[in-house]
Each structure stands twice: as C-alpha cells, then as structure tokens.
C-alpha cells in the first residue's frame, strides 16, 4: 500500500504514462498480497498504478468524489491448463477459433489463459503451437502448454494413445521453436526412456517441466520433482496417475510431499468432477500455497450437453461431464471462478487461499510475472464479484469486458 506521486506513473518498461486513462476501482480487495475490507485499485492505461486502503486514497484525494464500492475485487484469474470453451478449441490451426476460446474465458474472469494442446500427430501439434504463438505475441493468451505426447500409455486418460511416444529431443526442439518463446509448460511422464534429456532441454529453454499422465511410483516421481529432476509442476493431481493408496502411495503422495517442501506446485481441477471436495481439502491442507486451481476446460465449457472434440478424439458431454469413448473424463466444462467458489464453499478453503490458487500461484508456476496479484505495474486485470463469488464485471488490460 502507498502513494503514487501525481504525474509519475510508469508502465512495466519504465516509460512514463502521463497521458494514460486513469480511474479507480473500489471494493473489498482479496489477493495473495492484500486482504482489505475497503480498498482502491488505481488504474493507468493497461497497468495498475497503485493499491491503497480507501482511507489512504481519500488522504491523497481530499476533494475528489468517492469511487463507488463495487464488491469483492480479485486479481484477474490465471488458468494455466485450458483446452478451449464455448464451442471453440485451442488445438486448432484456425487462429480465429483459438481467439474465440480465449475471449470466452476472459469474459468470465480468466483474464490470463495458457492455451493447452493435446497429444496428436507431431506435425499437427507443431502447427497448432505455431498458430498459438501468434496469439501469445498479441497478448491474447499468456502462453502455450503442450500436454503430451510423451505420456504413459497406461495413464493416457483422454489423450489419444495412437500418438503417444517416448520423449524425443527432436520433436521437443520443433515444439519449442514453433512456440517462439511462448511454450510455457510441457507435461511429460518422468518414467519414460529419454525423460532426463528432454526435461533438461525444456529447462534450458525456460519451459516448465510438468509431470503427469504417469504410471510412476512414489520414489521416482519424488526424485523427478527435486530441483535436479527438473520437474516443478504436477499436471492435474490424481488424474492420469495411479490412485493414492496407503500401501502404494504413488505419484499422488510424492507430489503432495514435494509441494509441501516447496519443490513443486500441484494443479487441481476444481470442477467437483475430477476430484471430490475431501481430496481437494486434503491437497490444500498438505501443501498450502502450492496448489494451483485449473479448469482443464475443453470445447464444451459454457455449452450444453452434446458431441464435441478434444484433439483427435470425439467427446460426449452428459450432465456437464465430458468423456471420450473409452470412458475417461475428457477435460472440464467449468470456468475458473466457479472452481474458486467450489474450493471455498464445498472444500472449506479460506477465500484468500482459494483466490491465490487461481491467481498468484499458477502465475508463478508458469513463469508469468505481470499477472496474478494486485500490485503496482502489473497488468490491470480485475474480477469484480459479489459476496457469493458470482461474477459482476471483468477488467482486462485496463478495459472493461463486462
């Protein structure tokens, strides 16, 4: 909290923003850094200029009209695992379709979306990554996540087993090049031959190594989540891996131990379908500050039941649950704000912790530095909600979307 001197507003690059549109948003501020009953976020252009209590704001503006109290003000949500929504997909070579998927989630509070591509033919994955690179260059998406193709056949879930393969440095280099610096995360099974070489290659290029769709045991998975093992993120904890059992703890227990030690962040799909409330409560209790809520949303998010696609596979949605023909759950149909609400109301997670799990924690896990909190010089991304976390308005890059 504190003052921002008049005429000295700066953007992220250190350039003055004296001509930027300046306005204030007042409400109950809830973020990783702030819990303020009555605060004001001051916006200048596309950036946050200051975050203050209302009393501090009033002291700086003794003659100005009071800003209207708008409700609960959260940072824009950050979804680092998202395949699409509202009938649109990210696993596409149609840039317009991918933009429409991003726009759906932006308008519902996920102002930063890391677009996920699923396992497919190598040429298709490279082409899709290249298209998403253009959207990342334009700031439409926050980066790209490759979920596969280096995954365990036994735990493929909704990944098409026809295209799974052992870790391949050449294909990895092609995906990195196609991403043009925007490939943020790649999910890989650490027990596969060639994992160390590909994991090291990804790390050298600044790509986060996420472990998932794995049949690994406890010891191997825990070692892969140590700094020397390159892994630092766990893809959708408990999904796409052996079930947690007291005589065979497996990767679920290893992931929670690593997260509790600060060696990893675990994704949790908070849609009340992929995991139940008790499991989610356990994850938050075991690894406070190291749980990232994600949607794993796919084309059917925001749409009625029916027939859809995820990568090369057909998907049928019944009662909001998406499944491929094998019966495996095929991504989610929820929005991230709904996941936050579920964590609070059904899992007993404190509001501030649930908000951090959908903002600051995933942003840090994916290496995103300009989003995820209410802080000076971050992007002016805000979610305005009521006391029950129902969406009222969304601000993205200083522009109201709703």
């Amino acid at each position: 909290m504190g003052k921002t001197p008049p005429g000295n507003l700066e953007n992220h690059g250190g350039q003055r923003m004296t001509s930027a549109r300046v306005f204030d948003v007042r409400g109950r501020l809830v973020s990783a850094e702030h819990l303020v009953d009555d605060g004001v976020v001051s916006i200048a252009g596309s950036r946050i200029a200051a975050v203050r209590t209302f009393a501090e704001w009033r002291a700086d503006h003794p003659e100005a009209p009071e800003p209207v109290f708008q409700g609960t003000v959260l940072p824009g949500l950050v979804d680092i695992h998202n395949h699409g929504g509202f009938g649109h997909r990210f696993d596409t070579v149609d840039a317009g379709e991918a933009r429409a998927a991003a726009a759906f989630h932006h308008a519902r509070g996920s102002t930063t979306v890391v677009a996920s591509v699923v396992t497919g033919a190598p040429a298709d994955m490279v082409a899709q990554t290249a298209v998403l690179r253009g959207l990342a260059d334009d700031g439409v998406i926050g980066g790209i996540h490759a979920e596969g193709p280096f995954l365990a056949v036994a735990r493929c879930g909704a990944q098409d087993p026809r295209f799974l393969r052992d870790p391949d440095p050449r294909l990895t280099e092609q995906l990195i090049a196609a991403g043009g610096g925007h490939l943020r995360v790649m999910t890989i099974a650490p027990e596969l031959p060639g994992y160390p070489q590909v994991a090291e290659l990804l790390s050298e290029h600044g790509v986060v190594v996420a472990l998932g769709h794995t049949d690994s045991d406890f010891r191997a998975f825990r070692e892969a989540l140590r700094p020397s093992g390159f892994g630092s993120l766990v893809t959708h904890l408990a999904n796409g891996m052996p079930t947690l059992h007291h005589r065979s703890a497996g990767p679920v227990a290893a992931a929670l131990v690593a997260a509790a030690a600060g060696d990893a962040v675990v994704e949790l799909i908070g849609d009340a379908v992929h995991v139940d409330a008790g499991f989610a409560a356990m994850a938050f209790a075991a690894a406070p500050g190291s749980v990232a809520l994600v949607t794993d949303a796919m084309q059917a998010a925001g749409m009625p039941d029916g027939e859809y696609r995820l990568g090369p596979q057909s998907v049928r949605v019944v009662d909001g649950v998406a499944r491929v023909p094998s019966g495996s759950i095929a991504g989610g149909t929820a929005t991230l704000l709904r996941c936050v609400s579920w964590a609070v109301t059904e899992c007993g997670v404190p509001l501030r912790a649930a908000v951090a799990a959908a903002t600051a924690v995933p942003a840090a896990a994916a290496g995103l530095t300009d989003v995820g909190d209410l802080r000076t010089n971050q992007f002016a991304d805000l979610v305005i909600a009521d006391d029950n976390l129902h969406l009222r308005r969304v601000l993205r890059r200083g522009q109201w979307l709703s």
Side-chain angles (χ1 to χ4, degrees):
M1 300 279 183
K3 297 182 179 181
T4 299
N8 193 34
L9 303 179
E10 295 184 349
N11 68 11
H12 185 65
Q15 298 175 337
R16 294 171 66 85
M17 299 192 300
T18 52
S19 61
R21 185 172 74 99
V22 179
F23 61 97
D24 299 305
V25 178
R26 180 184 176 188
R28 178 193 181 201
L29 310 185
V30 181
S31 76
E33 188 163 317
H34 300 293
L35 185 59
V36 180
D37 287 339
D38 192 356
V40 178
V41 181
S42 297
I43 310 299
S46 64
R47 299 277 174 173
I48 294 175
V51 182
R52 291 163 281 193
T53 65
F54 175 70
E56 290 171 333
W57 182 91
R58 171 50 75 203
D60 291 343
H61 304 82
E63 305 298 327
E66 290 187 4
V68 174
F69 191 95
Q70 298 200 31
T72 299
V73 180
L74 315 177
L77 307 184
V78 180
D79 193 354
I80 61 172
H81 190 151
N82 189 310
H83 298 281
F86 208 56
H88 306 290
R89 299 159 55 186
F90 287 127
D91 55 334
T92 179
V93 292
D94 182 340
E97 171 146 344
R99 283 179 180 271
F104 166 75
H105 287 285
H106 292 166
R108 282 148 187 83
S110 296
T111 52
T112 299
V113 175
V114 174
S116 302
V117 297
V118 295
T119 297
D124 291 342
M125 293 187 70
V126 171
Q128 291 161 8
T129 300
V131 168
L132 292 174
R133 169 186 179 172
L135 272 66
D137 284 340
D138 293 344
V140 175
I141 60 174
I144 305 162
H145 163 221
E147 190 175 8
F150 312 137
L151 309 175
V153 173
R155 302 293 173 179
C156 63
Q159 306 285 324
D160 194 326
R162 295 175 298 168
F163 299 107
L164 296 178
R165 55 195 294 170
D166 287 340
D168 177 356
R170 177 174 171 77
L171 176 54
T172 304
E173 289 172 347
Q174 292 174 338
L175 290 166
I176 291 170
H182 295 296
L183 182 62
R184 291 276 180 186
V185 181
M186 187 170 193
T187 300
I188 183 169
E191 71 273 19
L192 296 180
Y195 166 79
Q197 294 80 9
V198 167
E200 184 173 12
L201 176 62
L202 291 167
S203 296
E204 288 173 352
H205 285 84
V207 181
V208 174
V209 178
L211 308 185
H213 287 282
T214 174
D215 210 28
S216 178
D217 62 16
F218 177 94
R219 186 178 299 277
F221 203 78
R222 179 68 183 97
E223 288 303 314
L225 288 172
R226 297 188 190 278
S228 60
F230 301 107
S232 62
L233 181 64
V234 176
T235 295
H236 46 51
L237 180 69
N239 294 109
M241 57 186 66
T243 301
L244 177 66
H245 190 278
H246 64 285
R247 286 193 297 272
S248 181
V252 174
L256 289 173
V257 170
D263 289 338
V265 168
V266 295
E267 291 181 356
L268 200 68
I269 306 174
D271 62 358
V273 173
H274 285 78
V275 296
D276 75 5
F279 184 89
M282 178 186 70
F284 274 95
S290 295
V291 176
L293 286 169
V294 298
T295 62
D296 197 13
M298 48 84 68
Q299 186 184 24
M303 298 290 286
D305 289 352
E307 303 292 333
Y308 298 92
R309 295 198 69 80
L310 179 65
Q313 299 205 81
S314 61
V315 176
R316 182 168 179 78
V317 179
V318 178
D319 295 332
V321 179
R323 295 185 185 275
V324 291
S326 69
S328 291
I329 299 175
T333 60
T335 62
L336 193 52
L337 185 59
R338 178 175 148 195
C339 295
V340 173
S341 177
W342 176 77
V344 173
T345 60
E346 300 298 324
C347 309
V349 178
L351 175 60
R352 190 176 181 186
V355 170
T359 54
V361 174
L368 301 167
T369 58
D370 285 353
V371 296
D373 211 336
L374 302 178
R375 288 191 281 113
T376 301
N377 282 338
Q378 286 213 330
F379 278 121
D381 296 345
L382 305 178
V383 171
I384 315 299
D386 65 17
D387 291 343
N388 296 314
L389 292 178
H390 296 145
L391 185 65
R392 285 181 173 172
R393 303 188 76 186
V394 177
L395 184 78
R396 184 174 191 271
R397 307 304 193 257
Q399 301 293 322
W400 292 108
L401 303 184
S402 60

